[in-house]
Amino acid sequence: QIFLSGQFSGPFNSLVQLFLNNTSKELKESLKSMKVSGNQTTHFSTNFPLGGEEFSLLSERSFLSLKSKISDASLLGYNRLSFTDIFASIDFDTKTGLNKSNLSARLNSIPLRFDLYTAKKDKNSFPLTYVTSQIRLSDTDLTKIYPFFSGRLKGQAKFSINLKLPGFIRGYELIDPQLTLESSLKNLEISLPSPFDKGLSKPSSLKLISKYVSKEDRLEVNLNYKNFLRGKFLYGDKSSEGFVILGEGSYPLELVQNKFFVSGSLKKLDLSQYISFSSEYTLPLDKELFFIKNLKVKEMQLGSMVLKETVVDMERADESFKFSLISEGLKGIVRFPDSK
């Protein structure tokens, strides 16, 4: 065994690389373009076997302890997110994980504070690292993260942020990171076409889970809004696909490559309202990948007409939205050309 201890000061990137070197190759590759700056001071002690086996800080015979102070650091260029003004106090070892650690930062200029700890959530699980925060976000804050909602939000709401990471404890496997965002959305007004709108004081629900899937080298996003909209999206360099289920409806058995489709059922739908909205605002999904399949609408408004029990399909064709409508009294196709 080799035993070492001491102190070193230098760039924050040295700790970032230590983290990346002990995670999956796929995650490391996806973060290689991230720009890192800032400073750190670390007290450390470590021991590891000499010769005869591949060096790993997470092997049963190795041990690492770190007590770090991070100041004026930043992480830029990951998925359009900017973490700046990072200050942290980290107490970590590969036997117990993180203890009494904290971090403050600005996410796209929004101030955040996080608690960091390692724990087992139940008896049969293995220890994981959690980065958690409870914060109130205003309409201005939210549009800094999601510009799509600019002009469509009013007020502020309390959000719970929970990032789940590997425990980095020796002898345990590494997991893919997962970020969960939850809120009741109380005191936040959302101005979207019905039924996706929401009043200021009325509580509702939002749950967004983002997970990096290292085996497929892509991001998986699961969304639940008002227990009415349920969706799953997969984003990768080679292909992206997903679905949204509205109201009642079951998850599809398989996805269509490079397509995002909507299905399910609605009580009411004003089709022209949605077309007007999509022409006025840049949608978060590429409209060329977007289509509707077997959406059942109890009452549909189409101009001055009201259609009952309508089945809607939609696809992109010749720079337009091509809708196929089948109802009790009408069967036909409606086109809405893209606005120039």
Side-chain angles (χ1 to χ4, degrees):
Q1 292 280 104
I2 293 180
F3 297 85
L4 297 172
S5 64
Q7 173 184 317
F8 67 96
S9 299
F12 171 49
N13 192 41
S14 58
L15 291 182
V16 174
Q17 292 306 313
L18 179 64
F19 163 76
L20 293 178
N21 288 337
N22 286 280
T23 188
S24 67
K25 293 180 181 178
E26 294 83 2
L27 180 59
K28 182 180 179 181
E29 181 68 19
S30 72
L31 297 176
K32 70 178 182 180
S33 62
M34 186 170 59
K35 296 180 180 179
V36 183
S37 65
N39 304 299
Q40 60 79 30
T41 298
T42 298
H43 297 267
F44 73 94
S45 63
T46 182
N47 63 75
F48 51 88
L50 178 62
E53 60 185 81
E54 183 179 353
F55 172 70
S56 172
L57 289 173
L58 299 183
S59 71
E60 290 281 4
R61 298 179 60 196
S62 297
F63 177 77
L64 173 67
S65 172
L66 297 173
K67 291 187 178 181
S68 299
K69 296 288 185 181
I70 300 165
S71 61
D72 200 19
S74 65
L75 298 169
L76 307 176
Y78 176 67
N79 200 26
R80 299 181 182 179
L81 299 178
S82 297
F83 292 89
T84 57
D85 296 337
I86 300 174
F87 291 83
S89 176
I90 307 295
D91 186 349
F92 167 82
D93 67 64
T94 53
K95 184 178 180 180
T96 61
L98 283 165
N99 299 284
K100 297 180 180 179
S101 300
N102 58 77
L103 179 149
S104 63
R106 289 182 179 272
L107 170 59
N108 290 17
S109 77
I110 303 166
L112 301 173
R113 188 186 185 284
F114 296 92
D115 293 317
L116 294 76
Y117 61 94
T118 302
K120 277 187 176 183
K121 291 297 185 179
D122 57 68
K123 293 181 179 179
N124 297 323
S125 67
F126 49 85
L128 298 174
T129 293
Y130 296 90
V131 182
T132 63
S133 180
Q134 300 281 336
I135 188 172
R136 287 195 175 274
L137 296 175
S138 69
D139 45 15
T140 303
D141 294 332
L142 290 167
T143 53
K144 288 177 181 177
I145 304 173
Y146 301 106
F148 166 74
F149 287 107
S150 179
R152 291 283 170 174
L153 303 176
K154 181 181 179 181
Q156 61 177 341
K158 186 177 180 180
F159 287 81
S160 170
I161 303 171
N162 191 331
L163 175 61
K164 185 164 61 175
L165 298 167
F168 298 107
I169 294 178
R170 60 187 186 183
Y172 288 97
E173 64 181 272
L174 298 174
I175 67 159
D176 291 329
Q178 177 177 295
L179 175 65
T180 302
L181 177 70
E182 292 184 86
S183 176
S184 70
L185 302 175
K186 187 176 180 180
N187 298 321
L188 183 68
E189 182 179 295
I190 302 176
S191 299
L192 291 173
S194 178
F196 305 106
D197 55 338
K198 181 197 160 298
L200 184 67
S201 59
K202 185 179 180 181
S204 187
S205 64
L206 171 70
K207 187 171 185 178
L208 182 69
I209 301 175
S210 300
K211 181 178 181 179
Y212 176 73
V213 184
S214 59
K215 291 181 179 180
E216 302 176 10
D217 189 23
R218 58 181 181 173
L219 181 67
E220 176 184 316
V221 179
N222 290 273
L223 172 66
N224 187 313
Y225 174 56
K226 296 169 64 172
N227 291 320
F228 167 76
L229 183 156
R230 295 163 291 139
K232 181 177 181 178
F233 308 91
L234 296 168
Y235 300 97
D237 291 335
K238 297 180 180 179
S239 68
S240 297
E241 51 263 357
F243 65 87
V244 170
I245 304 297
L246 303 176
E248 296 181 358
S250 57
Y251 280 21
L253 296 177
E254 61 181 1
L255 299 179
V256 180
Q257 190 174 34
N258 289 321
K259 293 289 184 180
F260 296 92
F261 74 86
V262 176
S263 189
S265 61
L266 292 172
K267 291 181 179 180
K268 290 186 177 182
L269 173 67
D270 186 339
L271 193 58
S272 59
Q273 189 180 28
Y274 281 85
I275 298 301
S276 174
F277 177 80
S278 66
S279 64
E280 183 180 355
Y281 289 86
T282 301
L283 299 177
L285 297 177
D286 183 351
K287 60 186 176 185
E288 297 300 331
L289 306 181
F290 174 72
F291 71 104
I292 296 173
K293 182 179 180 181
N294 197 34
L295 176 63
K296 299 175 182 178
V297 183
K298 193 172 185 66
E299 183 177 298
M300 170 178 280
Q301 186 80 31
L302 184 62
S304 59
M305 293 190 299
V306 177
L307 305 178
K308 302 289 187 180
E309 306 296 342
T310 305
V311 176
V312 181
D313 291 286
M314 188 278 289
E315 61 181 358
R316 292 286 298 169
D318 301 324
E319 297 184 336
S320 66
F321 293 98
K322 179 184 174 183
F323 288 87
S324 173
L325 309 176
I326 301 176
S327 69
E328 294 177 347
L330 181 144
K331 179 179 180 181
I333 293 174
V334 180
R335 289 178 181 268
F336 293 90
D338 295 345
S339 58
K340 300 299 183 180

